[in-house]
Structure formats: structure tokens, C-alpha cells
């Protein structure tokens, strides 16, 4: 780890960023996957060198919070467990999101893990790409049923079929459900990613850190014209990725191998105690393949569980304090750290979410954000409560015609008042 860290406000494994409740260390997981032994190492590091608070993030990574003076020992423990980058400068740019069910999803068109490994190696090994923003992100969508399709990415690739051939459709500064800009063959997918990143770095000014900034001045078709000089791109005007069903990240779901399932569970509001993580790791050893996968829904999966073992796995996950049913209101709530741990938070969002959950009807998805930065949700939730003061929120409903959180519905609500309006909304025939 001889390469120096560059300045950034984003936490990484090697860069501890301070918050009200102490330092934050972000562990970027390749494809969201972590071995049971590595999960144990995270749990132990959080206990020994921090407050014990572990968070599942909305990009399928892990964070340790409340780090004090022993940050160097924490980093060393995680590096020894194999959770770090190949070099220090490569940590920031390992922003590649896959389906948590990559390789095992019954609906997938292609296993994205091989291409993901190539891309991650390239991002870490080539110093030119270390110039990318720590927020610059790429998504690979293999056509899985379990797929987060609402998080915008600087570059996305989605597997599709044309005339019996698998292609990668791709787009810029958006989501796989957008109309694609073009398509490439499977053999050219890695070359496409490299060409897009190089072209972005060639064309963007220093202040244009994200693809959307560059495309705010440069038409997409002009970027595509330049891209065609570097890689062979096909036109694909008649394909668009369809949205997938919700809540496939929780409960038991069959895999593409007969007799095998993955089991999904949600740590309440994305927060894991070391005992939860260690317990899930032990279940992965006993019933799965000794690995865990973290999801963009701030949850975890145990893959490759024998179908006959799913009931005892669910029972033991519940005993650990994890949520295993989409019918549990708290399983559908998202909340940032809030004022308890963040200086920008205007309310204790996690405590307020726990107060809100039992007041809601089943099936309601709500995002509580302590400020307008929306750190806990990269996508626009159906309903958002934006804090304006301790215990008080503005209520927004998602509206495709409106930016940000959507349409403002009511202001300065208590949790009880917000629950009443949310319940009325859920019962309205206009929203059925």
C-alpha cells in the first residue's frame, strides 16, 4: 500500500472519515460478496476498534462506524482479511454494482462475475483510472430477477438477446431501464468500459466529476460518435429493460440449480451488530457455501442453501434479530444515520423510523432522510420523509415528472401525522 491516498470526502477502507459518532470506514465488497471468515473479521474489528456499529450500504458494501484512536489497527485487521484494494489509490474507484444473485439467479442471461473481475482489476491496476471521482460508478445487469434498476450510474451495461446472440446494451448517466445508447458483443464488453472511462477522462474538465456533468454540455450522440472510434458499437433502438418484481431480496428464493435456494434477511434499518454478522456467517458455513452477499437494499443473502434447510435458516436469522418477511413494516423502511451520528442530520431518523413502523399498513415503503443529501437511498423512494427539525418532517411522494424526492405533499409533520397521511395514501383507490 505504497501509493498515497488522494483527498476525498468519501470514506474508504484506508480513509477514515469523521462523523459525530466517530470515524467511518467503508469496505467495498467485490460484487457485494464476502466470505464467512471475512465477515467474522469485520465483526471483530468493529468490536475491538470501534463502537460495534456495522452498516449495510445501498451499494452492497459494509461500513464500520464509531472508530476512535485505533483506526490504524482496524485498517490492518481488514487488510489482513483480504478486504482491501490492490493499491491505496485503487480503493476509491472500485465502484461496480452487480445483482446480489449474480451467477445463481434463475432469470439471468449471463453470469456477470467474470466481467466484473476484469473491470475491477483494470480500475485498480491502471493509474489513469485513479483520477475518477470516488463516486463514479458502473453497473452490470445480467438480466437477473433480483436487480436494483433504480440507482443511477455513470455507465451501465445490461445483457439482452438479439437474433439468438447475447449482447450488452449500455447507457450513460442513468439506469438500465432507460433507452440504451447502443450495444456491444460479449467479447467487447470490457473494451467498452475501458473506452468509456478513457473518453470521459479525456473530455471532462476537472470540475465535471460525473458523467451527468459532462453530458450537461455534450450531447449523448456526440459522445457516442467519439466512442465508436474506439470500440465497435451496434445500434439497438428496439430494446428496453423491464422493471423487476420487488422484495426478492428477502425470504427464500429458488436458484438456477435444482434444490438450491438463497435466503435473504434485512438488518433493521441497515444496522448490524457484530453478533448478527458473526451469526449470519456461521449459518453460511453450516447451511450455505461459506459466503454472504450484501445487497443495494441494505440486506444480506445466504446463497446455495439446500431447499430442505431453508426453514431452520429463517428461524435462526430471526433469532439473530434479522427481518425475514416483506410483511414486516420495518423491513421496508430506509433511514440514514440521522442526528445521532451525523452533523448534517436534523432528526434522529433511525429512532423515528422505529416509531413509524408499527403505525404503517403492510407493504408501504418509506425513506426517512435527515437532510437533502439522501445518503441512505440512491433512488427515489415511493414516499420520503425529509427532516426539518427533531421529530418533524416534510412528506414527499415519488413523481416521475419531478426531480429529487418527488412532489411535496405536506410540511412539518410529526411521525404520528405522517403515519396518518401515509396510511390514507395507501388506502386511496387512486394509488391502487
Amino acid at each position: 500500500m505504497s501509493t498515497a491516498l488522494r483527498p476525498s470526502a468519501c470514506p474508504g477502507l484506508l480513509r477514515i472519515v469523521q462523523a459525530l459518532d466517530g470515524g467511518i470506514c467503508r469496505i467495498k465488497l467485490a460484487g457485494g460478496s464476502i466470505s464467512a471468515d471475512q465477515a467474522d473479521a469485520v465483526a471483530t474489528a468493529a468490536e475491538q476498534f470501534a463502537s460495534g456499529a456495522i452498516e449495510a450500504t445501498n451499494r452492497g458494501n459494509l461500513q464500520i462506524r464509531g472508530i476512535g484512536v485505533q483506526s490504524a489497527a482496524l485498517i490492518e485487521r481488514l487488510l489482513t482479511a483480504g478486504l482491501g484494494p490492490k493499491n491505496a489509490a485503487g480503493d476509491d474507484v472500485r465502484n461496480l454494482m452487480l445483482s446480489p444473485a449474480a451467477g445463481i439467479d434463475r432469470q439471468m442471461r449471463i453470469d456477470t462475475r467474470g466481467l466484473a473481475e476484469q473491470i475491477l482489476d483494470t480500475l485498480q491496476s491502471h493509474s489513469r483510472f485513479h483520477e475518477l471521482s470516488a463516486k463514479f460508478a458502473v453497473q452490470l445487469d445480467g438480466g437477473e430477477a433480483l436487480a436494483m434498476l433504480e440507482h443511477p450510474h455513470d455507465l451501465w451495461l445490461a445483457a439482452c438477446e438479439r437474433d439468438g446472440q447475447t449482447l450488452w446494451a449500455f447507457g450513460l448517466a442513468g439506469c438500465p431501464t432507460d433507452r440504451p445508447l447502443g450495444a456491444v458483443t460479449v467479447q467487447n464488453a470490457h473494451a467498452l468500459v475501458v473506452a468509456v472511462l478513457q473518453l470521459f477522462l479525456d473530455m471532462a474538465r476537472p470540475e465535471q466529476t460525473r458523467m451527468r456533468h459532462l453530458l450537461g454540455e455534450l450531447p449523448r450522440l456526440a459522445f457516442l460518435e467519439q466512442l465508436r472510434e474506439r470500440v465497435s458499437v451496434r445500434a439497438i433502438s428496439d430494446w428496453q429493460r423491464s422493471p423487476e418484481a420487488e422484495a426478492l431480496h428477502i425470504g427464500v428464493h429458488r436458484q438456477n440449480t435444482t434444490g438450491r435456494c438463497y435466503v435473504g434477511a434485512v438488518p433493521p434499518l441497515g444496522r448490524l451488530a457484530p453478533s448478527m454478522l458473526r451469526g449470519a456467517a456461521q449459518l453460511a458455513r453450516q447451511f450455505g457455501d461459506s459466503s454472504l452477499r450484501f445487497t443495494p437494499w441494505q440486506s444480506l443473502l445466504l446463497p446455495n442453501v439446500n431447499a430442505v434447510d431453508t426453514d431452520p435458516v429463517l428461524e435462526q436469522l430471526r433469532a439473530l434479530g434479522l427481518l425475514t418477511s416483506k410483511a414486516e413494516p420495518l423491513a421496508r423502511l430506509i433511514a440514514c444515520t440521522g442526528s445521532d451520528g451525523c452533523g448534517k442530520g436534523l432528526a434522529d431518523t433511525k429512532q423515528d423510523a422505529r416509531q413509524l413502523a408499527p403505525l404503517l399498513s403492510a407493504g408501504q415503503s418509506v425513506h426517512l432522510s435527515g437532510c437533502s443529501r439522501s445518503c441512505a437511498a440512491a433512488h427515489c423512494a415511493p414516499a420520503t420523509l425529509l427532516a426539518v427539525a427533531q421529530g418533524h418532517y416534510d412528506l414527499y411522494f415519488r413523481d416521475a415528472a419531478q426531480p429529487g424526492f418527488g412532489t411535496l405533499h405536506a410540511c412539518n409533520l410529526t411521525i404520528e401525522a405522517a403515519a396518518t397521511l401515509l396510511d390514507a395514501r395507501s388506502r386511496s383507490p387512486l394509488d391502487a
Side-chain angles (χ1 to χ4, degrees), residues 29-97:
L29 306 178
S33 185
I34 187 171
S35 73
D37 288 348
Q38 289 174 326
D40 282 347
V42 172
T44 300
E47 282 178 329
Q48 292 186 353
F49 309 122
S51 67
I54 305 165
E55 292 178 330
T57 78
N58 61 31
R59 291 195 56 81
N61 295 317
L62 288 173
Q63 290 185 165
I64 295 175
R65 301 190 67 95
I67 302 165
V69 296
Q70 292 183 290
S71 59
L74 178 137
I75 290 170
E76 182 59 33
R77 177 67 58 87
L78 298 176
L79 290 175
T80 300
L83 290 164
K86 289 186 175 180
N87 55 67
D91 194 31
D92 280 342
V93 295
R94 295 189 298 152
N95 302 319
L96 178 63
M97 192 167 81

Side-chain angles (χ1 to χ4, degrees), residues 201-381:
L201 290 171
D202 289 345
M203 301 179 76
R205 298 193 304 274
E207 68 272 16
Q208 294 174 321
T209 57
R210 304 295 301 276
M211 185 66 75
R212 67 177 184 270
H213 301 150
L214 176 62
L215 297 180
E217 295 181 2
L218 180 74
R220 276 174 165 76
L221 292 180
F223 189 96
L224 178 61
E225 184 178 345
Q226 296 268 357
L227 186 62
R228 287 183 186 277
E229 297 179 6
R230 304 185 182 211
V231 66
S232 178
V233 176
R234 301 185 185 186
I236 183 166
S237 58
D238 59 343
W239 180 86
Q240 191 167 8
R241 173 69 145 105
S242 58
E244 295 300 345
E246 293 186 359
L248 293 177
H249 63 283
I250 186 168
V252 176
H253 300 277
R254 286 186 295 159
Q255 295 181 187
N256 56 3
T257 302
T258 302
R260 296 289 174 177
C261 300
Y262 69 80
V263 182
V266 178
L269 304 175
R271 186 67 65 88
L272 288 148
S275 59
M276 278 185 185
L277 183 55
R278 195 176 283 117
Q282 182 54 36
L283 289 174
R285 291 189 188 93
Q286 183 178 354
F287 295 104
D289 61 4
S290 294
S291 75
L292 298 170
R293 300 189 187 191
F294 285 87
T295 85
W297 296 272
Q298 297 176 273
S299 63
L300 61 86
L301 307 183
L302 274 69
N304 292 307
V305 175
N306 193 307
V308 300
D309 292 327
T310 56
D311 283 346
V313 169
L314 286 171
E315 182 180 351
Q316 293 185 54
L317 286 170
R318 287 192 290 269
L320 289 170
L322 292 149
L323 309 173
T324 60
S325 170
K326 64 181 180 181
E328 297 175 89
L330 199 58
R332 301 182 68 91
L333 298 190
I334 304 169
C336 66
T337 299
S339 59
D340 184 54
C342 176
K344 296 185 182 295
L346 299 178
D348 188 345
T349 50
K350 289 199 183 294
Q351 180 59 38
D352 290 341
R354 291 181 180 277
Q355 181 184 345
L356 176 65
L359 304 177
L360 294 177
S361 301
Q364 293 188 70
S365 297
V366 185
H367 167 213
L368 288 83
S369 187
C371 74
S372 60
R373 295 184 304 163
S374 188
C375 293
H379 65 287
C380 182

